[in-house]
Amino acid sequence: SGLADAETIRVTPSDDYAAIERAQAGDEVIIAPGTYRFRVFLSQTGTADAPIVIRAEDPADPPVWDLSGMRAEDAPGSSTRGDRGRGCWQITGAHYRISGLVVRGCSTSSGNAAGIRTIDTEGVTVRDVVFDGNEVGFSGTGEDTLVEHCEFTDNGVRSSPPQHSTYIYGGSITFRHNYIHDSAGGQNLHIRARRAVVEYNWIARASNYEADLMTGPDADQELIFRGNVLLTNPSPENSGQVFVLYDDGGGSDVRMTLRLLWNTIIVQGGGDPALVSVRNDTLAAATVELSNNVVVGTTRLVRLRDEGASNWTVTGGSNHLPSGADEAGLTGNVLGDDPGFADAAALDFRPAPGSALIGLADLGVAGAPDREYAEDET
């Protein structure tokens, strides 16, 4: 009966936030092309069978949320909460499906406004959204969040501490089939989730190092990084590492796992940074797995703050690594300086005929990909 009563709500630039925010379970909000300059606060609850759908009327001419030139807290909007400036779109409800937007220029006086922010949500999907020039692209907490087929460009702030292209505070999230590149500050991926799956994305040129897993609400944290293409910034602010595992909360019971599986990782700019830097002096336990990856540009795979401790494990193998790479803990690798890409200069990282990559992967590794990354940056 709920589906039978579902409503289609059409929104144009002459409407305000109320038209979008009143949608209930099973409703569909269709947003016309144009520029919108108000905040949206979504607090209704959909269900898995009757989500609240919010989509562009014409995906080829998407509606643009542009708060450039104003502080988000001063923009029109229904929320009077103290954190109302933390996002152009903020979601506290459940089971939303949001697609086809452009969100840009979101800023606040505290310097951490996101294009879209989730607050203890469940089952939120964000698809085909362009996050452009926000203090944070996507941020928040929630369970079973999915962000896919989105582009993140020029998000983040060079501050102390910096803001990032994505900033996940907790819960569980999947980033899939996104183009995440050229953060204006911080990392492309800053994750404090209990479980994060980052798969089949093209990730490039963070202002700082590329990604980290840091302390969140849960003692056990896992990041699965699978089937991605990653190109580092040739001259990042922090050139010492590509990935970081670090408990910055001062706790002694935090256990972190990073699984790097079937990725193509191109380290640009030289300097031999650590592929993974592990602050195991602050962690109860750290586990790093590197299986079936292609790594170019660095021979330093894992750097430990305290190699004499017994709280770390490095496993995996069947990677293609540069000549002279430190293989400690890994087996079955092939070392060499030419993986045999089809055309690396043109960003075509498929194996050419006769490439050493063909047949190298260990197909027994758990978590094999069932999709693939985008062909190139266009």
Side-chain angles (χ1 to χ4, degrees):
S1 61
L3 289 175
D5 295 335
E7 182 181 2
T8 298
I9 302 168
R10 299 190 179 276
V11 176
T12 72
S14 62
D15 295 307
D16 66 11
Y17 46 84
I20 300 173
E21 294 176 0
R22 70 181 177 85
Q24 307 287 322
D27 288 351
E28 182 176 42
V29 180
I30 301 175
I31 305 178
T35 299
Y36 297 77
R37 290 177 63 79
F38 54 79
R39 290 180 284 113
V40 177
F41 188 79
L42 302 174
S43 59
Q44 304 298 330
T45 300
T47 68
D49 294 330
I52 300 169
V53 176
I54 302 174
R55 66 174 179 85
E57 179 182 80
D58 179 5
D61 188 8
V64 177
W65 255 259
D66 190 347
L67 298 192
S68 300
M70 69 172 78
R71 296 296 191 188
E73 60 265 36
D74 299 326
S78 65
S79 175
T80 59
R81 294 165 43 131
D83 64 352
R84 66 186 180 276
R86 293 283 301 278
C88 288
W89 285 60
Q90 297 200 71
I91 309 167
T92 62
H95 296 289
Y96 279 89
R97 305 286 183 269
I98 300 169
S99 64
L101 311 178
V102 176
V103 186
R104 68 165 55 106
C106 196
S107 66
T108 186
S109 56
S110 56
N112 57 358
I116 296 179
R117 178 186 182 219
T118 58
I119 306 170
D120 298 326
T121 56
E122 179 182 355
V124 170
T125 294
V126 175
R127 179 180 292 119
D128 294 318
V129 172
V130 175
F131 298 87
D132 178 11
N134 305 287
E135 289 177 334
V136 184
F138 182 93
S139 76
T141 61
E143 295 297 337
D144 298 322
T145 304
L146 173 61
V147 179
E148 66 177 2
H149 297 287
C150 295
E151 180 175 1
F152 294 79
T153 181
D154 200 34
N155 299 284
V157 180
R158 290 192 178 192
S159 56
S160 183
Q163 295 303 318
H164 312 278
S165 191
T166 62
Y167 195 146
I168 307 307
Y169 292 92
S172 59
I173 188 167
T174 297
F175 284 99
R176 178 187 298 147
H177 295 311
N178 300 294
Y179 180 28
I180 308 173
H181 64 103
D182 299 291
S183 65
Q187 286 79 262
N188 277 324
L189 294 159
H190 184 66
I191 295 175
R192 299 176 183 270
R194 182 185 70 260
R195 186 174 191 272
V197 179
V198 179
E199 57 186 10
Y200 323 128
N201 304 280
W202 191 289
I203 301 168
R205 298 176 301 275
S207 173
N208 208 338
Y209 56 85
E210 293 295 327
D212 57 32
L213 185 61
M214 288 195 179
T215 318
D218 298 280
D220 290 287
Q221 296 174 254
E222 180 181 35
L223 169 57
I224 299 174
F225 194 85
R226 171 172 54 205
N228 302 284
V229 175
L230 188 152
L231 288 79
T232 69
N233 190 335
S235 54
E237 294 176 68
N238 188 331
S239 60
Q241 56 268 315
V242 180
F243 294 87
V244 172
L245 303 186
Y246 176 39
D247 169 24
D248 66 343
S252 59
D253 62 344
V254 177
R255 297 169 293 276
M256 292 184 177
T257 298
L258 172 63
R259 300 189 71 209
L260 297 175
L261 311 172
W262 273 280
N263 302 288
T264 299
I265 300 173
I266 312 296
V267 177
Q268 305 182 103
D272 229 22
L275 179 63
V276 183
S277 177
V278 182
R279 282 292 308 269
N280 65 311
D281 58 329
T282 65
L283 294 169
T287 300
V288 178
E289 178 185 356
L290 289 86
S291 294
N292 300 339
N293 301 285
V294 186
V295 179
V296 175
T298 184
T299 61
R300 301 179 67 192
L301 300 183
V302 179
R303 181 178 65 208
L304 298 153
R305 179 59 64 95
D306 184 359
E307 293 188 2
S310 59
N311 62 347
W312 57 273
T313 304
V314 177
T315 65
S318 300
N319 304 282
H320 193 285
L321 307 171
S323 299
D326 180 1
E327 299 181 83
L330 306 176
T331 61
N333 304 297
V334 170
L335 274 61
D337 296 321
D338 182 8
F341 294 132
D343 189 350
L347 305 182
D348 184 347
F349 299 113
R350 295 174 295 175
S355 168
L357 305 179
I358 297 172
L360 173 59
D362 176 1
L363 301 184
V365 171
D370 59 3
R371 309 184 187 203
E372 61 185 352
Y373 52 78
E375 182 177 347
D376 56 37
E377 290 201 23
T378 59

